[in-house]
Amino acid sequence: HVDHGKSTLLGRIYADTGSIPEGHVEKVKDICEKQGKPFEYAFLFDAFIEEQEQGITIDTARTFFNWKNREYIIIDAPGHKEFLKNMISGAARADAAILVIDAAEGIRQQSRQHGYLLSLLGIRQVAVTVNKMDLVDFDEKVFRKIEKEFAAYLKELNVHASYFVPASAKEGNNVVDKSDRMTWYDGPTVLQALERFEKLPPRADQPLRFPVQDIYKFDERRIIAGRVASGTLKVGDHLVFSPSNKTAVVRTIETFNVAVPPQAVSAGWSTGFTLDEQIFSERGEIASHVTAPPDGSSLFRATVFWMGSNPLKERLSYTIRLATREIEMKVVTIHNIIDADTLGTTSSSGQIPRYG
Ligand code: GTP
Ligand code: MG
């Protein structure tokens, strides 16, 4: 929820693991002093002026740090309701999540909604930090109450939090260093919880999916450009483009200023390649191996988190973004609606109410 201390927690993790460039903390402290406001760890990441002025995170910031031979990419999500979309795009590709709950304020609307989103996005590795324990005198009873209530809520969603960590991001308790103010707690610190999360199997091992971003004509060559969403693309691979169903073989993988062009590219990399014959494909098609193509259908069932300012209605047309393509679609049937706040189910009346 907004202001529960996510950015501060992140700032504290970086500061206490020595992951912040020499002098940066001092620089931000200096600026704060000049502007006559107290230093906040969150300022280390809230890059935009508006964010610092209002003390809230608007956009998701991606930051990197190394700890014990592992590389972490942390996405700091905004807690303000209006920026929930940013939180979703940030979280959609995460392997694990840390939910932050203010010990003094307790579980709030966005604590529940973000919990719900984790279940929708299929994020299975979850830790909950009960933050600002300094505001409740590091009282175990406050922590246990939140732990019990929130674990029960998550359980209904089929989400299991591996750890509940009582912490104070501001004071640096149980974030990187174990706190001597909460001797009643014998679980991991926030950083130790991160260490215990497992890296998910690489997407490179899954079937190839390559949404075509664009096709460039260079001299004689037509280069198909895009980002490998999953799997691995190799020279010599026999590809099919969906939905046109045209097939061809990968002739070259193209790169600039490289002596020996690569023979393969894997998930996560943007690349261009040429084919052995000139087939017509276009932006929005999905290339895959002929042996493992995607299922094709003009009708599918989906779980949707509706954030529109108008209701989502049956029989109306909407524009849907499918990888690199935007197309018209129509809602056929709304089967049931779950209120993310209460988790109560209402049967459909042909529309999902507007968000908020
Ligand atoms: P949004 O990104 O806007 O959702 O907020 P946030 O969750 O990132 O909160 P942020 O880190 O900006 O902290 C909000 C306020 O809570 C700041 O004034 C912090 O100093 C304060 N705060 C964060 N952690 C603690 C803590 O452990 N104890 C106390 N007392 N205050 C804290
Ligand atoms: Mg923030």
Side-chain angles (χ1 to χ4, degrees), residues 90 196 284 322:
R196 292 181 193 182
L322 277 179

Side-chain angles (χ1 to χ4, degrees), residues 2-8 42 46 51 55-59 76-79:
V2 66
D3 268 357
H4 281 199
K6 301 172 291 296
S7 300
T8 306
D46 283 342
E51 294 187 321
I56 56 167
T57 303
I58 294 172
D59 209 350
D76 181 18

Side-chain angles (χ1 to χ4, degrees), residues 208 224 233-241 244-251 273-281 287-290:
L208 174 69
I224 301 179
L233 177 100
K234 290 192 284 298
V235 171
D237 279 355
H238 207 165
L239 301 184
V240 57
F241 291 78
S244 71
N245 275 329
K246 298 214 172 73
T247 61
V249 172
V250 179
R251 196 164 62 92
F273 61 88
T274 61
L275 298 169
D276 66 338
E277 50 186 301
Q278 305 288 17
I279 60 161
F280 180 78
S281 181
S288 61
H289 291 131
V290 286

Side-chain angles (χ1 to χ4, degrees), residues 11-22 45 64-67:
R12 175 58 80 172
I13 290 175
Y14 278 66
D16 289 4
T17 53
S19 308
I20 291 179
E22 198 59 41
F45 297 103
F64 306 80
F65 81 104
N66 266 294
W67 183 250

Side-chain angles (χ1 to χ4, degrees), residues 1-9 40 42 46 55-57 76-80 131-135 167-171:
H1 197 80
V2 66
D3 268 357
H4 281 199
K6 301 172 291 296
S7 300
T8 306
L9 181 73
E40 292 274 359
D46 283 342
I56 56 167
T57 303
D76 181 18
H80 197 285
N131 188 37
K132 307 199 190 182
M133 287 298 292
D134 55 294
L135 294 182
S168 166
K170 193 171 184 172
E171 313 282 322

Side-chain angles (χ1 to χ4, degrees), residues 107-294:
I107 299 159
R108 300 291 303 274
Q109 186 196 41
Q110 294 304 311
S111 325
R112 282 191 286 267
Q113 295 212 334
H114 288 196
Y116 185 64
L117 283 171
L118 296 185
S119 82
L120 267 191
L121 296 169
I123 297 175
R124 292 280 165 260
Q125 307 192 82
V126 177
V128 177
T129 300
V130 178
N131 188 37
K132 307 199 190 182
M133 287 298 292
D134 55 294
L135 294 182
V136 297
D137 278 336
F138 301 99
D139 184 357
E140 179 175 9
K141 281 204 289 295
V142 176
F143 170 73
R144 295 295 173 206
K145 184 169 173 280
I146 293 173
E147 178 182 43
K148 196 171 155 213
E149 213 176 306
F150 205 61
Y153 173 80
L154 291 178
K155 198 171 166 212
E156 283 186 64
L157 298 169
N158 237 338
V159 172
H160 171 73
S162 316
Y163 313 102
F164 276 80
V165 186
S168 166
K170 193 171 184 172
E171 313 282 322
N173 291 284
N174 284 344
V175 178
V176 169
D177 302 316
K178 217 157 173 80
S179 169
D180 53 11
R181 304 294 310 269
M182 291 175 276
T183 46
W184 45 264
Y185 174 75
D186 60 3
T189 62
V190 176
L191 183 66
Q192 285 167 341
L194 279 182
E195 284 173 33
R196 292 181 193 182
F197 285 143
E198 282 165 26
K199 212 172 149 56
L200 298 185
R203 292 177 69 89
D205 297 346
Q206 295 171 7
L208 174 69
R209 298 290 181 261
F210 183 95
V212 176
Q213 181 81 42
D214 223 331
I215 298 183
Y216 300 102
K217 245 180 108 101
F218 269 100
D219 43 66
E220 288 308 287
R221 297 166 299 168
R222 282 166 68 84
I223 298 178
I224 301 179
R227 187 167 177 276
V228 185
S230 67
T232 300
L233 177 100
K234 290 192 284 298
V235 171
D237 279 355
H238 207 165
L239 301 184
V240 57
F241 291 78
S242 304
S244 71
N245 275 329
K246 298 214 172 73
T247 61
V249 172
V250 179
R251 196 164 62 92
T252 56
I253 291 171
E254 299 288 323
T255 36
F256 293 105
N257 298 326
V258 176
V260 188
Q263 293 296 297
V265 274
S266 289
W269 293 92
S270 292
T271 189
F273 61 88
T274 61
L275 298 169
D276 66 338
E277 50 186 301
Q278 305 288 17
I279 60 161
F280 180 78
S281 181
E282 58 183 340
R283 178 185 172 91
E285 286 219 294
I286 308 284
S288 61
H289 291 131
V290 286
T291 47

